[in-house]
């Protein structure tokens, strides 16, 4: 394996593609848990203060915040997507300096070979 110090920009792209391959679906947003009252009169859950648990996904569409109700049985799947999204974001952050460093090394090499 080539060390990160000597990798080329296409090595970085290949690394990024292979790392990202296992991260789908990748989602960004936040999943929140809340308890809210219902509209029924004399509801035991509401009376006891327990209320009704539900999950809501907050995301953005065209710059506007949107909230989508998430049924409890879909929570693990949505959570996995959000974990993937964070991992992918972390990966893209790591990729940026590595890619730029590789481009700079390639530029230096290209200049040297032009002179000789
Ligand atoms: Zn209720």
């Amino acid at each position: 394996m080539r060390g990160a110090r000597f990798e080329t920009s296409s090595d970085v792209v290949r690394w990024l593609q292979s790392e990202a391959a296992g991260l789908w679906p990748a989602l960004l947003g936040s999943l929140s848990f809340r308890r809210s009252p219902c509209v029924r009169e004399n509801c035991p859950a509401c009376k006891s203060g327990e209320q009704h648990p539900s999950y809501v996904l907050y995301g953005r569409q065209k710059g506007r915040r949107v909230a989508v109700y998430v049924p409890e049985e879909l929570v693990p799947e949505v959570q996995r997507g959000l974990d993937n999204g964070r991992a992918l974001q972390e990966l893209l952050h790591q990729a940026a300096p590595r890619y730029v460093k590789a481009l700079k090394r390639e530029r230096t090499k290209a200049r040297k070979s032009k002179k000789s």
Side-chain angles (χ1 to χ4, degrees), residues 40-53:
R40 286 181 296 164
E41 267 177 59
N42 298 317
C43 166
C46 287
K47 266 190 167 172
S48 73
E50 254 301 283
Q51 299 188 333
H52 303 270

